Structure formats: C-alpha cells, structure tokens
Amino acid sequence: MRQQDRLCLFVLASALTICATAAAQPLERVVAADISSVSRVADSGRTYSTFRGQTPLADAMKDVGYNTVRLRLWVDPTEGYSDLDDVLRVASEADAAGLDIWLNLHYSDSWADPGQQTKPAAWQSLNFLQLSDRIRTYTRDVAESFEAEGIPLTFVQVGNEIQDGMLWPDGQISQNGYGPFVTLLEAAIDGLNTAVLTRHPYVIIHSGGPGPAPSFFGELEGRGVDYDIAAISYYPYFHDEIANLENGLDQVLQSTDKPVIVAEIGYPWTFGFADGTTNLVGSQSIPDDVVNEYPATPAGQAAYIERVWQITRALGDDRGLGVAYWEPAWLPNVTGGSALENLALFGFNGSALPSFELFSRASSPVDGRGLGVDPVFSPPIAVQSLPPADPLVLQLDALYASHSAGGLHLGVSGNIESNTGTLFVFIDSIADVGTDTLAIPPDLQNGWSALDGLQFDPGFKPDSAIAVTVFDGSVFIDRFDLIGPLASFSYLGTVPLNANEPSLANGSNPTGIEAAVDNTNTDGIGGICARPLTATSGLELFLPRNTFDQPLDPGDTVGLSVLFLSREGELSTQWLPPLPDSVSAVLSPTGLNLGDLPALQYVQVTLDTDARRSPALATGDLNGDGQTDSMDVGQAISSIEAGQRAGDANGDGMVDFFDLLYILTLIDSVCP
C-alpha cells in the first residue's frame, strides 16, 4: 500500500501549527485510456487529428479531459515495444502533457490475461523462493527507474487480469490454490512499497472479467492483502450483456472495502476493416441483445461508453473510481497490423470519432453538480463579491467556462429558486457582430421585455443568450439570437430540477444543447463563512460547437455576462462578474447603461483546455474526503515537495506556497 508521511507546519501568518498525514494523491475520478501501442503507431508514420488538427495523442487526450494514461510493461518483449525504455518514453510525453501515469506490470515478455500468464524467459529456471525475490526486486527497480527519470507514478497495477493467478505454473490459482499466488503478489507489492520514491503510487489489483471478480477479491480480503484499488475488465464480446458489468461491480464492492475501477473496456464503431489483420471483434462476436441496443456505429459506440460511465458513476465517487478505455488509438496499417482498428476511438484515417471526447464528458455529465470540481472545469473566471439579499432565493457564486472539441461548457454555481425569475447568460462569440443595446420584442408575455434598451459595456456585444427559468420544479431553457435589429428567441425545452438528466424535452433543440440546474446548495457567499468558491452546484450548460453561427476554436475569445431578471421586472444585484460594492439595490433594466457603472459587467475568456483544473479543487478539498481541513494542508505540503499537479488548489498553474495559504483560508476551523 502507498506510503504515508507525518508532516507538521507552523504557519506564521495564522500562528497555527498543523500536523497531518499526507497521502500520495487524492483519489479523483479516473478518466483513462491505455495507449500502450502509441509508439508502434508513430513508428509506422500514422498520426492523430482532432478539432485542433494534427496533434500528439497525449495532448489530444488532455485537451478533451482525460487525466490518466495506462501503459503496459513487458519484461523482455521480442519486438521492443512495451519494454521499459519504450514505456518510459511514452510516460514522459504523457507526464509533460499533464496526464497521470498508470503503470500496468504484466510480469511476462508478452500478453498476460486470464488465458496466459507466462513467466518471462529469464525467470523460467527460478525456484519459488527465487521467483518471489525476483518479482520483488523487479517491481522495485522499475518504480525507481521512473523516479530517476522524474516521472511520478500515480497508479501501479501489479499483474494483468490475474483472476487465475500470475507467473504460471507457480502462481496459478487453479493448480496450486491461493497460497503461492498471494506470496508472489505480496512480494510484488512489497517491492513497490520499499522502492525509494518521492511519492508512492496507489496499488491496483486487476482480476479480469466481472464474473470471477467478487470471489477473487473476497479471497484477497480474507487473506489481508494490502492494496488500494480493485479493478475489473468488461468487454461484451467476452463477458456478454452489460448487466454483467453492473452486477459484477456491485458484488465486488460487497466483497471488499476498496474502491473499484473498470480497467478495460472497448466497443466497435464499425464491423469493417482497413488492413489485412483479422479483427478481434466481428459481427458475430457480440450478443444480439447488446448489438441491437448499441449498434456498431460511432453513435452506438458512444452510447455504450455513456452506459458504462453511468453504471460506474452510480456506485458513488468514493466507490466507483473511474473507467479506462483499452487501446483507443491502435490504428490500422501499422507495423504488425491492428486487430483493434474497429474498436478504436479514432477512425481508420486517424481522425477522432465523437466517442473520443464523449468518453471524458461522460465521466462528468451535465448535472448541475461538481461545478469547479469536476475535471471538465477550469478555475473560475468570475467570482461573486456581493452577498445576496436572500441566499435561498438567488445566489450567483462563480462563473466557469471551458472549451473542447464538442463545444462550450459553462457553469454558474449558486441557487436559483423556483418561480422567482429568469437567469440570462449573454455570450459574445463573434467580434463586433452582436448588439450593444438589447431590442426585445414588445409582445413577449413573460416579462422579458423589461430588458428592452439595456446597454452593455463598451467592448461587449453579445450575439446570443441562454435564458434559464426555474418554475414549479422544472427548468425551462430558451435561446436568444441577438444578431439583427430585434432579438428573436426559441424555446429549447425543459428538464426536471435537481435531476441528473440534461437532455431537453418538449422543445426545439436542433444543436443538442444540454442543461441542468441543481439548487440544493447551502454554501457559497451566502453560507456561514461567505466563501463563494465552496458552492459547487447550480446551473450547468453544454453548448455544442454548431450552436454558434461561427464555430468556436482554440484561441478564440468569448465574452460572458450573467444577470438575473426577477418576475417583477427588476435586475438582482447578483451578477457575474459582480456588480461594484456601490450598487446595493435592485436595478431597473429598461434603458440602463452598464457603461455608467464603475466596473465591467462582462468577462472575456480565451478558449483553451490547458487551464483545466484536474484535480485542483476550488474548495481546497485536495484529498477528496468531502472536507477542507488540516488533512488537505498535509496534502498540499506533500504536493509542493513533489511538484504534483494535484496540489494546485488556487488554479494558477503552479504548485507552491500560495496553494497552501489558499487552503488555510478555506479551513472551517479558521473561518470567522
């Protein structure tokens, strides 16, 4: 199991001494892909392209929200791929892109899986005691090789799909029982724990398919094996209907107190082929009921991925840790061919399929929760400074925006109570095309005509707006087109309040805008400590690229302004960006010139995904236990020492003493 240190800090600024146990890294949701074949693809001259154009795979993954790469390591492979030098090279590139490393030790010269666990050739003549010592020293030496290269390991998986043991025949469970296998397994874990590392990784044990997994992990639990995360695989062409995944995960969690991760999934986007290598999965490989629900098309592949994530998320953040897609980028026509070309998340030509981004988006769905916390979000671009008149009725704490291949992701944390008015998000996506003065049709029956004549700040000319009205337990979404002499609007649809269902119903939503509102927040600027960044629920929007008259691209600048119009036709003082302190009363919007106010009522953001906060939490909860306390201080100290990205609490892109001070200001015990 990972090592822990006892750390103490005397903070002069607060005259506070804090001692804490610092863990390795917080267990954030893992959004991973196994890209072990990327070197083989690169050596064949194949490349990948996304909405940014041609781009390195690790950068493309980071762009759309993945946070982890999984890499298999073979001891002495004949072709050179997946050996230590190759894995170190790929891991270094992934680390430079800002991705965590999940090292998968096969303890074999080639594939290790439920049907084969062949000892490395150099280990064949070892007796059992020598074999135990070799797996211990090998694991230690590999971990220290990463340390020597300055590559932090977040996860180390000891063995691959070892439901029937490892290093056969010595450690084969079906032949020799659990005893010899557990001895070898614990030797490997001991080698990892005794390695001299700046920070010790989490230990993953990967059983294989969902069927044998519950009894396997139950045996490990009964024998006291010390590890951190249980992992299983799920492929419908091996493990049948998707209900087997759901049942298997539930049963694993009953047999162990460890969180579980789905370490391998895959699904075809076509039954076609592009090279001469026979594909692993063809039209007869998948049960009819599965392929009928999830056809072998890009849309079917995406729906399958969404379902796997839905099952995993339903386990809870503390039990369902995440999902990894196996070999999403093994393209056809590479050295040795590709039997996985139709299971990839890239087309045969190397262009990203919709599921490449959707895999990440499905890990953090549009649900109005986790604003500023989920990996999809960057640090806030506007933070509230004026306390609300009634935080239970209306409170706007912070504004978040991030961009990906699919579109624009927006979040407004706080509360919007039912039957009180409408929240407007004004968007300036095309320079000098929108309007600087609202012209609202006078025949609107919902009171929005009160906005007629509202003048925006110089430099802000919104070309569209999203209107969000919460009424009688439902959320109604409209879109305004502000290009032209008179605003026009269309009703997009409705979703239930406080429900994990972002698909709008009963309206016209041709571009597939998603929306959700969760108004259960009790913290934020209206809370006891008046800290706006502690509010993590509210309004969440996803606006696909084709929502805009001119599709958004990296480097584009978008202006945003958020205001609330009451049913009485007045503007609340809760704006984002916030109104100046001098404005303490509600405003009449008709003819109001925002340029007359001393502060700008819009904010501009340059679209990019490099600033995403993952897992630096605006709440300061670095260790992910749901509280901001001295344990997070210890986590910050260890992150600063190790230079881990997980310590970037204040979201400035650096891990330093200012992150520590930021957390200290958030600790409940020092809250005034």
Side-chain angles (χ1 to χ4, degrees):
M1 196 171 185
R2 65 191 182 279
Q3 301 295 305
Q4 298 180 331
D5 298 324
R6 189 73 174 169
L7 299 168
C8 295
L9 174 72
F10 179 70
V11 184
L12 294 176
S14 60
L16 179 66
T17 301
I18 295 174
C19 295
T21 300
Q25 291 101 356
L27 280 171
E28 63 164 330
R29 182 174 293 148
V30 178
V31 185
D34 188 316
I35 60 169
S36 298
S37 296
V38 66
S39 295
R40 184 187 299 269
V41 174
D43 289 349
S44 299
R46 302 301 310 275
T47 58
Y48 305 98
S49 60
T50 67
F51 73 116
R52 290 182 182 272
Q54 186 173 314
T55 184
L57 180 57
D59 291 338
M61 291 174 61
K62 182 66 175 178
D63 279 346
V64 298
Y66 293 74
N67 56 26
T68 303
V69 296
R70 182 175 184 253
L71 300 171
R72 64 175 168 268
L73 177 63
W74 291 333
V75 176
D76 188 19
T78 56
E79 291 184 306
Y81 297 115
S82 291
D83 65 5
L84 184 57
D85 288 341
D86 178 42
V87 173
L88 285 171
R89 180 169 58 253
V90 177
S92 178
E93 294 170 355
D95 178 62
L99 297 167
D100 291 333
I101 308 301
W102 171 351
L103 180 63
N104 177 13
L105 299 170
H106 277 228
Y107 300 116
S108 182
D109 292 336
S110 186
W111 301 104
D113 54 48
Q116 54 189 346
Q117 295 282 339
T118 306
K119 282 187 290 188
W123 300 9
Q124 291 285 345
S125 62
L126 301 178
N127 62 38
F128 188 77
L129 290 178
Q130 292 170 329
L131 187 62
S132 299
D133 185 62
R134 179 61 61 88
I135 195 173
R136 177 184 293 105
T137 56
Y138 170 80
T139 305
R140 181 197 64 204
D141 292 347
V142 166
E144 290 181 351
S145 295
F146 279 80
E147 179 77 11
E149 296 296 324
I151 305 170
L153 291 169
T154 302
F155 307 100
V156 172
Q157 178 184 315
V158 285
N160 189 69
E161 296 188 321
I162 53 176
Q163 62 192 40
D164 193 24
M166 63 202 301
L167 296 172
W168 291 353
D170 304 63
Q172 188 169 9
I173 296 171
S174 59
Q175 295 295 319
N176 301 313
Y178 272 89
F181 161 66
V182 168
T183 297
L184 294 171
L185 183 65
E186 291 187 324
I189 295 171
D190 182 64
L192 182 61
N193 287 340
T194 56
V196 180
L197 305 177
T198 303
R199 212 71 208 143
H200 278 72
Y202 289 100
V203 177
I204 295 176
I205 295 181
H206 181 203
S207 69
S215 60
F216 174 86
F217 286 112
E219 283 284 347
L220 298 190
E221 193 78 12
R223 294 169 182 269
V225 177
D226 194 10
Y227 68 103
D228 298 299
I229 301 163
I232 70 171
S233 301
Y234 171 68
Y235 299 104
Y237 31 92
F238 295 142
H239 308 125
D240 296 325
E241 61 267 18
I242 204 164
N244 289 343
L245 169 65
E246 192 167 14
N247 295 334
L249 289 171
D250 288 340
Q251 292 172 22
V252 167
L253 292 178
Q254 294 174 26
S255 64
T256 178
D257 61 353
K258 305 296 192 293
V260 65
I261 190 168
V262 184
E264 296 182 16
I265 69 166
Y267 201 81
W269 61 272
T270 179
F271 287 133
F273 56 91
D275 63 21
T277 302
T278 301
N279 287 342
L280 176 68
V281 176
S283 59
Q284 305 303 311
S285 304
I286 302 176
D288 289 343
D289 57 341
V290 176
V291 79
N292 288 339
E293 185 172 2
Y294 307 103
T297 64
Q301 182 188 57
Y304 163 84
I305 288 171
E306 284 191 297
R307 179 58 181 145
V308 172
W309 267 114
Q310 184 183 43
I311 291 170
T312 307
R313 294 195 316 267
L315 302 175
D317 291 341
D318 59 336
R319 303 307 308 273
L321 187 56
V323 181
Y325 199 96
W326 192 65
E327 291 287 9
W330 198 340
L331 301 179
N333 300 310
V334 301
T335 302
S338 173
L340 307 174
E341 58 188 7
N342 66 325
L343 303 175
L345 302 183
F346 291 83
F348 293 153
N349 64 355
S351 296
L353 296 170
S355 47
F356 176 64
E357 178 183 354
L358 182 135
F359 183 85
S360 171
R361 282 191 51 219
S363 71
S364 301
V366 174
D367 58 8
R369 304 162 192 165
L371 306 183
V373 177
D374 285 344
V376 71
F377 288 108
S378 62
I381 58 174
V383 179
Q384 188 60 255
S385 58
L386 287 179
D390 187 342
L392 297 180
V393 174
L394 178 68
Q395 177 178 304
L396 305 182
D397 287 287
L399 173 61
Y400 301 90
S402 63
H403 178 239
S404 65
L408 186 64
H409 207 132
L410 300 175
V412 180
S413 57
N415 291 323
I416 310 172
E417 188 51 66
S418 288
N419 309 338
T420 56
T422 299
L423 180 79
F424 290 88
V425 180
F426 289 97
I427 305 170
D428 181 359
S429 67
I430 310 173
D432 298 321
V433 171
T435 183
D436 53 15
T437 303
L438 287 180
I440 305 296
D443 57 347
L444 288 183
Q445 300 299 311
N446 48 21
W448 295 345
S449 57
L451 293 174
D452 187 61
L454 176 67
Q455 300 178 58
F456 294 101
D457 284 300
F460 183 64
K461 300 178 69 174
D463 45 76
S464 64
I466 301 294
V468 181
T469 306
V470 181
F471 188 81
D472 286 350
S474 295
V475 181
F476 298 88
I477 307 295
D478 294 87
R479 181 178 185 270
F480 277 77
D481 184 350
L482 302 179
I483 299 176
L486 193 66
S488 61
F489 82 101
S490 56
Y491 173 56
L492 301 181
T494 183
V495 293
L497 179 65
N498 300 333
N500 184 14
E501 177 47 65
S503 299
L504 301 175
N506 304 321
S508 177
N509 184 21
T511 65
I513 290 174
E514 296 181 359
V517 173
D518 185 307
N519 69 350
T520 61
N521 170 63
T522 59
D523 213 329
I525 196 167
I528 296 175
C529 293
R531 302 191 305 245
L533 295 184
T534 58
T536 59
S537 60
L539 166 68
E540 188 170 358
L541 293 168
F542 181 73
L543 310 177
R545 291 185 82 229
N546 57 353
T547 299
F548 305 94
D549 291 308
Q550 180 176 303
L552 300 175
D553 290 311
D556 288 349
T557 298
V558 171
L560 298 166
S561 181
V562 180
L563 60 84
F564 186 85
L565 180 70
S566 72
R567 294 180 66 185
E568 293 74 31
E570 296 176 322
L571 291 174
S572 165
T573 57
Q574 291 287 285
W575 288 51
L576 288 171
L579 287 166
D581 294 342
S582 58
V583 180
S584 58
V586 295
L587 301 169
S588 174
T590 305
L592 176 66
N593 187 346
L594 297 179
D596 293 337
L597 298 178
L600 291 178
Q601 294 316 126
Y602 74 96
V603 62
Q604 289 184 319
V605 58
T606 299
L607 299 181
D608 206 337
T609 52
D610 293 340
R612 289 183 181 207
R613 179 179 298 198
S614 175
L617 306 182
T619 61
D621 179 22
L622 290 187
N623 66 357
D625 64 358
Q627 302 178 45
T628 303
D629 52 25
S630 62
M631 304 296 286
D632 298 297
V633 174
Q635 180 66 57
I637 296 170
S638 62
S639 295
I640 292 169
E641 290 177 340
Q644 295 167 348
R645 289 178 295 277
D648 183 21
N650 65 359
D652 64 356
M654 297 181 290
V655 179
D656 52 27
F657 187 68
F658 291 103
D659 297 297
L660 186 59
L661 293 180
Y662 178 83
I663 294 172
L664 286 172
T665 66
L666 299 180
I667 294 178
D668 286 341
S669 61
V670 299
C671 173

